[in-house]
Amino acid sequence: MHCLFENGGEAYVNGIRFTGMLSAHYSDILVAQHLPKRLPPGGDDGVNVKYGMALITHARFENNLKDAVDFDLVKKGPTISESLFLNNGNDGMDISGSTLTLRDNLLRENRDKGISIGENSRVTLIDNRIDGSMMGVAVKDLSRAEISGGEIRGNRAGVAVYNKKPLFGGASAVVTET
């Protein structure tokens, strides 16, 4: 089972804005062997999940206009594993208000951040390789990241921990064997 999504974008349906080429709101999804390639101007994310659970594995996200994957308020234990995030216009992964595990992924040449973790998220990163972005991993706004194994190199900043939105407060990261 292989999927190729290409030249998609965002849409309004019944007054609801869907920002991903593949959007799931209040739904659980499995994305395996998935290849979202490119969004036209006006599109936002390759995959956007809100208030659901998602398992993404063996997928390739390349040349998306903005974020490859965007998780908003996903708290049912999703995982992103063994996937490639290459040359996306903004972030490889943008995670807000979510709890998840990222394992054995390659993130390369994403323009802003390899992985952006914010708005009270709890994220475990295991054996990921992140290179060629402005920031390898950004942890902000009351979020916590546990990073172990893997490589973070060739980014302007490897791991940045900061407060962006005063509403939330500071953040923290624990980095071991990386």
Side-chain angles (χ1 to χ4, degrees):
M1 167 171 58
H2 297 271
C3 298
L4 174 63
F5 290 84
E6 197 166 34
N7 300 318
E10 65 183 37
Y12 282 89
V13 178
N14 296 327
I16 300 169
R17 181 177 179 221
F18 294 93
T19 60
M21 190 174 349
L22 171 61
S23 291
H25 294 197
Y26 297 96
S27 299
D28 298 341
I29 65 170
L30 166 64
V31 178
Q33 300 175 349
H34 175 57
L35 304 163
K37 297 289 273 187
R38 184 182 309 263
L39 290 126
D44 198 355
D45 309 318
V47 172
N48 180 271
V49 179
K50 294 181 188 318
Y51 306 103
M53 194 282 292
L55 171 61
I56 297 176
T57 184
H58 297 91
R60 183 182 184 108
F61 299 89
E62 186 174 5
N63 299 321
N64 287 284
L65 182 66
K66 295 191 179 171
D67 299 333
V69 170
D70 192 331
F71 281 180
D72 297 312
L73 300 165
V74 177
K75 292 193 180 267
K76 295 182 183 176
T79 302
I80 301 174
S81 67
E82 300 180 73
S83 295
L84 303 173
F85 297 83
L86 310 171
N87 196 40
N88 292 290
N90 196 40
D91 302 332
M93 298 178 203
D94 185 355
I95 298 150
S96 299
S98 301
T99 302
L100 68 148
T101 300
L102 312 174
R103 181 187 299 271
D104 297 313
N105 298 290
L106 172 62
L107 298 99
R108 178 171 288 152
E109 303 295 329
N110 295 289
R111 299 245 186 336
D112 191 18
K113 300 170 200 80
I115 302 171
S116 178
I117 302 168
E119 299 174 348
N120 200 23
S121 292
R122 300 292 178 261
V123 180
T124 303
L125 294 85
I126 303 167
D127 294 329
N128 295 283
R129 181 172 175 183
I130 307 164
D131 60 53
S133 298
M134 292 295 289
M135 287 186 214
V137 179
V139 186
K140 57 191 185 276
D141 300 331
L142 209 56
S143 295
R144 178 171 172 78
E146 295 182 11
I147 304 167
S148 66
E151 295 180 8
I152 301 172
R153 63 180 184 180
N155 304 285
R156 274 216 165 144
V159 177
V161 180
Y162 57 98
N163 179 219
K164 181 177 179 182
K165 299 175 183 173
L167 169 70
F168 288 97
S172 64
V174 175
V175 181
T176 57
E177 299 180 21
T178 300

